[in-house]
Amino acid sequence: MDNNEQDKLNQELTQANKAKALFQDPLLKESFDKLRTLYSESLFNTGAIETDAREKLWLAYNVVNKVEQNLLEMIDTGKLASKQLEDYRKSIDRKKF
């Protein structure tokens, strides 16, 4: 593993730690929940001829889920990066002996 690969893995790990802190932040969780509720209630309260409004609300609702999913993917990527770095360090230690 060269230095560029190590730097990339360390960057992924740093991003994962930040994403995890955000994901676990009660304020962000509350924001996601409030937005989902707002968008879903608004969506269900649109009239029969309000197609454009329904589509925009549906998109907004899904964007909230996509943001949350993106944070989870960053966290998972960081877990993989951590494992790769750990394996690399172990392989170096084995070579020393």
Side-chain angles (χ1 to χ4, degrees):
M1 179 180 301
D2 64 18
N3 285 339
N4 287 337
E5 290 176 294
Q6 287 182 50
D7 290 344
K8 183 178 181 254
L9 292 173
N10 282 318
Q11 182 181 6
E12 289 174 351
L13 190 55
T14 299
Q15 285 180 333
N17 290 333
K18 290 177 182 178
K20 187 175 182 179
L22 282 172
F23 190 74
Q24 292 176 340
D25 187 314
L27 184 60
L28 189 63
K29 284 183 177 188
E30 182 181 344
S31 295
F32 284 154
D33 291 341
K34 282 183 178 181
L35 286 171
R36 277 192 201 95
T37 301
L38 171 70
Y39 294 141
S40 64
E41 287 176 357
S42 297
L43 179 65
F44 290 122
N45 290 320
T46 57
I49 61 171
E50 295 178 284
T51 305
D52 288 342
R54 262 194 314 281
E55 288 176 0
K56 289 176 184 174
L57 288 165
W58 177 250
L59 287 173
Y61 182 86
N62 282 308
V63 165
V64 174
N65 290 331
K66 295 249 185 229
V67 170
E68 190 174 50
Q69 185 61 39
N70 186 260
L71 290 173
L72 290 170
E73 287 173 10
M74 290 172 124
I75 293 167
D76 287 342
T77 299
K79 288 176 185 176
L80 292 172
S82 177
K83 178 68 173 140
Q84 286 177 308
L85 287 168
E86 180 184 328
D87 290 347
Y88 177 68
R89 290 181 187 123
K90 285 179 182 178
S91 72
I92 289 175
D93 288 344
R94 278 188 237 126
K95 288 179 183 178
K96 288 180 182 178
F97 293 111

mmCIF file of all heavy atoms in Angstrom, residues 59-94:
data_model
loop_
_atom_site.group_PDB
_atom_site.id
_atom_site.type_symbol
_atom_site.label_atom_id
_atom_site.label_comp_id
_atom_site.label_asym_id
_atom_site.label_seq_id
_atom_site.Cartn_x
_atom_site.Cartn_y
_atom_site.Cartn_z
ATOM 1 N N LEU A 59 -40.302 14.613 -3.687
ATOM 2 C CA LEU A 59 -38.859 14.754 -3.886
ATOM 3 C C LEU A 59 -38.176 15.237 -2.606
ATOM 4 O O LEU A 59 -37.124 14.716 -2.212
ATOM 5 C CB LEU A 59 -38.566 15.723 -5.038
ATOM 6 C CG LEU A 59 -38.855 15.201 -6.436
ATOM 7 C CD1 LEU A 59 -38.693 16.322 -7.460
ATOM 8 C CD2 LEU A 59 -37.939 14.044 -6.789
ATOM 9 N N ALA A 60 -38.762 16.225 -1.963
ATOM 10 C CA ALA A 60 -38.179 16.754 -0.725
ATOM 11 C C ALA A 60 -38.115 15.673 0.350
ATOM 12 O O ALA A 60 -37.102 15.545 1.047
ATOM 13 C CB ALA A 60 -38.995 17.955 -0.234
ATOM 14 N N TYR A 61 -39.186 14.912 0.479
ATOM 15 C CA TYR A 61 -39.220 13.815 1.453
ATOM 16 C C TYR A 61 -38.094 12.823 1.177
ATOM 17 O O TYR A 61 -37.396 12.377 2.086
ATOM 18 C CB TYR A 61 -40.589 13.126 1.388
ATOM 19 C CG TYR A 61 -40.763 12.008 2.385
ATOM 20 C CD1 TYR A 61 -41.203 12.280 3.676
ATOM 21 C CD2 TYR A 61 -40.490 10.690 2.046
ATOM 22 C CE1 TYR A 61 -41.372 11.256 4.599
ATOM 23 C CE2 TYR A 61 -40.650 9.662 2.960
ATOM 24 C CZ TYR A 61 -41.088 9.950 4.228
ATOM 25 O OH TYR A 61 -41.236 8.946 5.141
ATOM 26 N N ASN A 62 -37.907 12.498 -0.080
ATOM 27 C CA ASN A 62 -36.874 11.529 -0.453
ATOM 28 C C ASN A 62 -35.468 12.084 -0.294
ATOM 29 O O ASN A 62 -34.538 11.322 -0.015
ATOM 30 C CB ASN A 62 -37.096 11.021 -1.878
ATOM 31 C CG ASN A 62 -38.188 9.981 -1.915
ATOM 32 O OD1 ASN A 62 -38.163 9.020 -1.168
ATOM 33 N ND2 ASN A 62 -39.178 10.186 -2.763
ATOM 34 N N VAL A 63 -35.301 13.378 -0.454
ATOM 35 C CA VAL A 63 -33.980 13.985 -0.260
ATOM 36 C C VAL A 63 -33.537 13.827 1.194
ATOM 37 O O VAL A 63 -32.370 13.527 1.468
ATOM 38 C CB VAL A 63 -33.977 15.469 -0.690
ATOM 39 C CG1 VAL A 63 -32.752 16.189 -0.175
ATOM 40 C CG2 VAL A 63 -34.045 15.572 -2.201
ATOM 41 N N VAL A 64 -34.445 13.989 2.113
ATOM 42 C CA VAL A 64 -34.115 13.794 3.532
ATOM 43 C C VAL A 64 -33.584 12.380 3.747
ATOM 44 O O VAL A 64 -32.550 12.177 4.403
ATOM 45 C CB VAL A 64 -35.338 14.065 4.446
ATOM 46 C CG1 VAL A 64 -35.029 13.716 5.895
ATOM 47 C CG2 VAL A 64 -35.782 15.515 4.329
ATOM 48 N N ASN A 65 -34.253 11.400 3.179
ATOM 49 C CA ASN A 65 -33.808 10.008 3.301
ATOM 50 C C ASN A 65 -32.455 9.792 2.625
ATOM 51 O O ASN A 65 -31.618 9.048 3.128
ATOM 52 C CB ASN A 65 -34.846 9.055 2.716
ATOM 53 C CG ASN A 65 -36.089 8.980 3.566
ATOM 54 O OD1 ASN A 65 -36.046 9.173 4.778
ATOM 55 N ND2 ASN A 65 -37.213 8.721 2.934
ATOM 56 N N LYS A 66 -32.248 10.443 1.489
ATOM 57 C CA LYS A 66 -30.980 10.286 0.767
ATOM 58 C C LYS A 66 -29.819 10.884 1.570
ATOM 59 O O LYS A 66 -28.729 10.305 1.593
ATOM 60 C CB LYS A 66 -31.059 10.952 -0.599
ATOM 61 C CG LYS A 66 -32.056 10.324 -1.527
ATOM 62 C CD LYS A 66 -31.374 9.631 -2.648
ATOM 63 C CE LYS A 66 -32.424 9.111 -3.619
ATOM 64 N NZ LYS A 66 -32.236 7.757 -3.961
ATOM 65 N N VAL A 67 -30.048 12.014 2.216
ATOM 66 C CA VAL A 67 -28.999 12.622 3.040
ATOM 67 C C VAL A 67 -28.640 11.688 4.189
ATOM 68 O O VAL A 67 -27.463 11.432 4.465
ATOM 69 C CB VAL A 67 -29.431 14.009 3.569
ATOM 70 C CG1 VAL A 67 -28.462 14.535 4.622
ATOM 71 C CG2 VAL A 67 -29.567 14.998 2.425
ATOM 72 N N GLU A 68 -29.656 11.155 4.844
ATOM 73 C CA GLU A 68 -29.434 10.218 5.938
ATOM 74 C C GLU A 68 -28.694 8.971 5.441
ATOM 75 O O GLU A 68 -27.734 8.503 6.074
ATOM 76 C CB GLU A 68 -30.768 9.833 6.572
ATOM 77 C CG GLU A 68 -30.641 9.072 7.855
ATOM 78 C CD GLU A 68 -31.981 8.842 8.511
ATOM 79 O OE1 GLU A 68 -32.908 8.365 7.828
ATOM 80 O OE2 GLU A 68 -32.094 9.142 9.703
ATOM 81 N N GLN A 69 -29.099 8.452 4.294
ATOM 82 C CA GLN A 69 -28.455 7.270 3.718
ATOM 83 C C GLN A 69 -26.998 7.567 3.361
ATOM 84 O O GLN A 69 -26.123 6.733 3.557
ATOM 85 C CB GLN A 69 -29.224 6.795 2.482
ATOM 86 C CG GLN A 69 -28.692 5.523 1.894
ATOM 87 C CD GLN A 69 -28.765 4.350 2.858
ATOM 88 O OE1 GLN A 69 -29.725 4.206 3.604
ATOM 89 N NE2 GLN A 69 -27.757 3.511 2.869
ATOM 90 N N ASN A 70 -26.743 8.769 2.858
ATOM 91 C CA ASN A 70 -25.375 9.144 2.507
ATOM 92 C C ASN A 70 -24.480 9.160 3.737
ATOM 93 O O ASN A 70 -23.327 8.713 3.679
ATOM 94 C CB ASN A 70 -25.370 10.504 1.812
ATOM 95 C CG ASN A 70 -24.006 10.863 1.293
ATOM 96 O OD1 ASN A 70 -23.286 11.627 1.910
ATOM 97 N ND2 ASN A 70 -23.652 10.298 0.157
ATOM 98 N N LEU A 71 -24.986 9.666 4.850
ATOM 99 C CA LEU A 71 -24.209 9.650 6.095
ATOM 100 C C LEU A 71 -23.899 8.216 6.514
ATOM 101 O O LEU A 71 -22.770 7.910 6.926
ATOM 102 C CB LEU A 71 -24.956 10.381 7.208
ATOM 103 C CG LEU A 71 -25.064 11.890 7.079
ATOM 104 C CD1 LEU A 71 -25.989 12.457 8.163
ATOM 105 C CD2 LEU A 71 -23.694 12.549 7.162
ATOM 106 N N LEU A 72 -24.878 7.330 6.400
ATOM 107 C CA LEU A 72 -24.661 5.925 6.757
ATOM 108 C C LEU A 72 -23.626 5.271 5.841
ATOM 109 O O LEU A 72 -22.795 4.480 6.313
ATOM 110 C CB LEU A 72 -25.982 5.154 6.702
ATOM 111 C CG LEU A 72 -26.993 5.493 7.797
ATOM 112 C CD1 LEU A 72 -28.338 4.848 7.500
ATOM 113 C CD2 LEU A 72 -26.470 5.075 9.150
ATOM 114 N N GLU A 73 -23.658 5.613 4.569
ATOM 115 C CA GLU A 73 -22.670 5.063 3.640
ATOM 116 C C GLU A 73 -21.268 5.556 3.984
ATOM 117 O O GLU A 73 -20.300 4.794 3.892
ATOM 118 C CB GLU A 73 -23.029 5.447 2.207
ATOM 119 C CG GLU A 73 -24.222 4.683 1.666
ATOM 120 C CD GLU A 73 -24.695 5.168 0.306
ATOM 121 O OE1 GLU A 73 -23.992 5.987 -0.334
ATOM 122 O OE2 GLU A 73 -25.778 4.734 -0.118
ATOM 123 N N MET A 74 -21.147 6.817 4.376
ATOM 124 C CA MET A 74 -19.844 7.347 4.780
ATOM 125 C C MET A 74 -19.323 6.623 6.021
ATOM 126 O O MET A 74 -18.132 6.323 6.112
ATOM 127 C CB MET A 74 -19.932 8.853 5.053
ATOM 128 C CG MET A 74 -20.141 9.692 3.835
ATOM 129 S SD MET A 74 -20.444 11.392 4.330
ATOM 130 C CE MET A 74 -19.158 12.208 3.430
ATOM 131 N N ILE A 75 -20.213 6.342 6.946
ATOM 132 C CA ILE A 75 -19.834 5.623 8.160
ATOM 133 C C ILE A 75 -19.347 4.214 7.802
ATOM 134 O O ILE A 75 -18.313 3.761 8.293
ATOM 135 C CB ILE A 75 -21.010 5.587 9.159
ATOM 136 C CG1 ILE A 75 -21.301 6.998 9.683
ATOM 137 C CG2 ILE A 75 -20.726 4.629 10.312
ATOM 138 C CD1 ILE A 75 -22.611 7.135 10.434
ATOM 139 N N ASP A 76 -20.085 3.536 6.919
ATOM 140 C CA ASP A 76 -19.682 2.186 6.495
ATOM 141 C C ASP A 76 -18.352 2.207 5.751
ATOM 142 O O ASP A 76 -17.512 1.327 5.948
ATOM 143 C CB ASP A 76 -20.763 1.559 5.613
ATOM 144 C CG ASP A 76 -21.984 1.136 6.397
ATOM 145 O OD1 ASP A 76 -21.885 1.012 7.643
ATOM 146 O OD2 ASP A 76 -23.043 0.934 5.780
ATOM 147 N N THR A 77 -18.153 3.207 4.912
ATOM 148 C CA THR A 77 -16.890 3.333 4.182
ATOM 149 C C THR A 77 -15.739 3.519 5.160
ATOM 150 O O THR A 77 -14.661 2.950 4.990
ATOM 151 C CB THR A 77 -16.953 4.514 3.196
ATOM 152 O OG1 THR A 77 -18.000 4.261 2.249
ATOM 153 C CG2 THR A 77 -15.636 4.709 2.465
ATOM 154 N N GLY A 78 -15.974 4.290 6.204
ATOM 155 C CA GLY A 78 -14.951 4.498 7.235
ATOM 156 C C GLY A 78 -14.619 3.210 7.972
ATOM 157 O O GLY A 78 -13.457 2.967 8.313
ATOM 158 N N LYS A 79 -15.618 2.383 8.209
ATOM 159 C CA LYS A 79 -15.375 1.096 8.859
ATOM 160 C C LYS A 79 -14.472 0.220 7.992
ATOM 161 O O LYS A 79 -13.549 -0.426 8.497
ATOM 162 C CB LYS A 79 -16.696 0.369 9.133
ATOM 163 C CG LYS A 79 -17.527 0.985 10.237
ATOM 164 C CD LYS A 79 -18.856 0.259 10.378
ATOM 165 C CE LYS A 79 -19.751 0.930 11.389
ATOM 166 N NZ LYS A 79 -21.076 0.279 11.458
ATOM 167 N N LEU A 80 -14.761 0.225 6.700
ATOM 168 C CA LEU A 80 -13.927 -0.551 5.781
ATOM 169 C C LEU A 80 -12.504 0.014 5.721
ATOM 170 O O LEU A 80 -11.528 -0.743 5.709
ATOM 171 C CB LEU A 80 -14.541 -0.558 4.384
ATOM 172 C CG LEU A 80 -15.849 -1.327 4.226
ATOM 173 C CD1 LEU A 80 -16.447 -1.082 2.843
ATOM 174 C CD2 LEU A 80 -15.639 -2.808 4.456
ATOM 175 N N ALA A 81 -12.395 1.330 5.683
ATOM 176 C CA ALA A 81 -11.074 1.962 5.648
ATOM 177 C C ALA A 81 -10.284 1.627 6.902
ATOM 178 O O ALA A 81 -9.086 1.332 6.845
ATOM 179 C CB ALA A 81 -11.218 3.476 5.496
ATOM 180 N N SER A 82 -10.957 1.656 8.039
ATOM 181 C CA SER A 82 -10.310 1.323 9.302
ATOM 182 C C SER A 82 -9.780 -0.108 9.287
ATOM 183 O O SER A 82 -8.652 -0.375 9.714
ATOM 184 C CB SER A 82 -11.296 1.510 10.456
ATOM 185 O OG SER A 82 -10.725 1.131 11.678
ATOM 186 N N LYS A 83 -10.593 -1.018 8.775
ATOM 187 C CA LYS A 83 -10.194 -2.420 8.694
ATOM 188 C C LYS A 83 -9.000 -2.593 7.754
ATOM 189 O O LYS A 83 -8.055 -3.324 8.069
ATOM 190 C CB LYS A 83 -11.392 -3.270 8.214
ATOM 191 C CG LYS A 83 -11.094 -4.731 8.033
ATOM 192 C CD LYS A 83 -10.821 -5.425 9.339
ATOM 193 C CE LYS A 83 -10.695 -6.915 9.113
ATOM 194 N NZ LYS A 83 -9.643 -7.523 9.894
ATOM 195 N N GLN A 84 -9.020 -1.892 6.623
ATOM 196 C CA GLN A 84 -7.909 -1.991 5.676
ATOM 197 C C GLN A 84 -6.615 -1.445 6.285
ATOM 198 O O GLN A 84 -5.553 -2.033 6.124
ATOM 199 C CB GLN A 84 -8.235 -1.230 4.388
ATOM 200 C CG GLN A 84 -9.247 -1.931 3.521
ATOM 201 C CD GLN A 84 -9.609 -1.116 2.301
ATOM 202 O OE1 GLN A 84 -9.968 0.050 2.391
ATOM 203 N NE2 GLN A 84 -9.507 -1.743 1.138
ATOM 204 N N LEU A 85 -6.721 -0.328 6.987
ATOM 205 C CA LEU A 85 -5.533 0.239 7.637
ATOM 206 C C LEU A 85 -5.005 -0.689 8.723
ATOM 207 O O LEU A 85 -3.801 -0.885 8.867
ATOM 208 C CB LEU A 85 -5.847 1.620 8.221
ATOM 209 C CG LEU A 85 -6.000 2.749 7.210
ATOM 210 C CD1 LEU A 85 -6.597 3.980 7.874
ATOM 211 C CD2 LEU A 85 -4.660 3.079 6.566
ATOM 212 N N GLU A 86 -5.923 -1.273 9.476
ATOM 213 C CA GLU A 86 -5.532 -2.211 10.532
ATOM 214 C C GLU A 86 -4.828 -3.434 9.937
ATOM 215 O O GLU A 86 -3.778 -3.856 10.439
ATOM 216 C CB GLU A 86 -6.771 -2.645 11.316
ATOM 217 C CG GLU A 86 -6.494 -3.617 12.433
ATOM 218 C CD GLU A 86 -7.775 -4.080 13.111
ATOM 219 O OE1 GLU A 86 -8.737 -3.292 13.182
ATOM 220 O OE2 GLU A 86 -7.801 -5.247 13.553
ATOM 221 N N ASP A 87 -5.389 -3.981 8.870
ATOM 222 C CA ASP A 87 -4.769 -5.131 8.206
ATOM 223 C C ASP A 87 -3.390 -4.775 7.665
ATOM 224 O O ASP A 87 -2.456 -5.584 7.763
ATOM 225 C CB ASP A 87 -5.654 -5.647 7.068
ATOM 226 C CG ASP A 87 -6.927 -6.310 7.561
ATOM 227 O OD1 ASP A 87 -7.026 -6.595 8.784
ATOM 228 O OD2 ASP A 87 -7.833 -6.533 6.727
ATOM 229 N N TYR A 88 -3.268 -3.591 7.105
ATOM 230 C CA TYR A 88 -1.980 -3.150 6.567
ATOM 231 C C TYR A 88 -0.944 -3.024 7.687
ATOM 232 O O TYR A 88 0.189 -3.484 7.544
ATOM 233 C CB TYR A 88 -2.151 -1.821 5.834
ATOM 234 C CG TYR A 88 -0.853 -1.264 5.321
ATOM 235 C CD1 TYR A 88 -0.160 -1.906 4.294
ATOM 236 C CD2 TYR A 88 -0.305 -0.111 5.868
ATOM 237 C CE1 TYR A 88 1.047 -1.398 3.828
ATOM 238 C CE2 TYR A 88 0.894 0.400 5.416
ATOM 239 C CZ TYR A 88 1.565 -0.244 4.392
ATOM 240 O OH TYR A 88 2.757 0.252 3.940
ATOM 241 N N ARG A 89 -1.344 -2.436 8.794
ATOM 242 C CA ARG A 89 -0.418 -2.296 9.928
ATOM 243 C C ARG A 89 0.004 -3.650 10.480
ATOM 244 O O ARG A 89 1.164 -3.847 10.853
ATOM 245 C CB ARG A 89 -1.053 -1.428 11.008
ATOM 246 C CG ARG A 89 -1.163 0.027 10.596
ATOM 247 C CD ARG A 89 -1.768 0.889 11.673
ATOM 248 N NE ARG A 89 -1.985 2.227 11.148
ATOM 249 C CZ ARG A 89 -3.152 2.841 11.133
ATOM 250 N NH1 ARG A 89 -4.221 2.253 11.648
ATOM 251 N NH2 ARG A 89 -3.278 4.051 10.627
ATOM 252 N N LYS A 90 -0.938 -4.581 10.526
ATOM 253 C CA LYS A 90 -0.601 -5.931 10.989
ATOM 254 C C LYS A 90 0.375 -6.608 10.043
ATOM 255 O O LYS A 90 1.290 -7.315 10.488
ATOM 256 C CB LYS A 90 -1.862 -6.782 11.139
ATOM 257 C CG LYS A 90 -2.694 -6.434 12.350
ATOM 258 C CD LYS A 90 -3.931 -7.305 12.427
ATOM 259 C CE LYS A 90 -4.791 -6.940 13.618
ATOM 260 N NZ LYS A 90 -6.021 -7.746 13.671
ATOM 261 N N SER A 91 0.191 -6.390 8.748
ATOM 262 C CA SER A 91 1.101 -7.007 7.781
ATOM 263 C C SER A 91 2.499 -6.421 7.905
ATOM 264 O O SER A 91 3.503 -7.139 7.753
ATOM 265 C CB SER A 91 0.579 -6.849 6.349
ATOM 266 O OG SER A 91 0.706 -5.521 5.908
ATOM 267 N N ILE A 92 2.611 -5.165 8.224
ATOM 268 C CA ILE A 92 3.917 -4.532 8.439
ATOM 269 C C ILE A 92 4.563 -5.115 9.688
ATOM 270 O O ILE A 92 5.770 -5.422 9.702
ATOM 271 C CB ILE A 92 3.781 -3.006 8.556
ATOM 272 C CG1 ILE A 92 3.442 -2.402 7.207
ATOM 273 C CG2 ILE A 92 5.057 -2.379 9.091
ATOM 274 C CD1 ILE A 92 3.171 -0.921 7.232
ATOM 275 N N ASP A 93 3.768 -5.267 10.753
ATOM 276 C CA ASP A 93 4.308 -5.838 11.995
ATOM 277 C C ASP A 93 4.807 -7.262 11.771
ATOM 278 O O ASP A 93 5.838 -7.660 12.331
ATOM 279 C CB ASP A 93 3.231 -5.832 13.089
ATOM 280 C CG ASP A 93 2.949 -4.433 13.609
ATOM 281 O OD1 ASP A 93 3.756 -3.529 13.372
ATOM 282 O OD2 ASP A 93 1.881 -4.250 14.244
ATOM 283 N N ARG A 94 4.101 -8.053 10.964
ATOM 284 C CA ARG A 94 4.526 -9.420 10.679
ATOM 285 C C ARG A 94 5.829 -9.436 9.899
ATOM 286 O O ARG A 94 6.656 -10.320 10.096
ATOM 287 C CB ARG A 94 3.439 -10.152 9.893
ATOM 288 C CG ARG A 94 2.356 -10.700 10.782
ATOM 289 C CD ARG A 94 1.400 -11.572 9.992
ATOM 290 N NE ARG A 94 0.067 -10.980 10.182
ATOM 291 C CZ ARG A 94 -0.772 -10.607 9.226
ATOM 292 N NH1 ARG A 94 -0.450 -10.801 7.965
ATOM 293 N NH2 ARG A 94 -1.911 -10.088 9.513
#
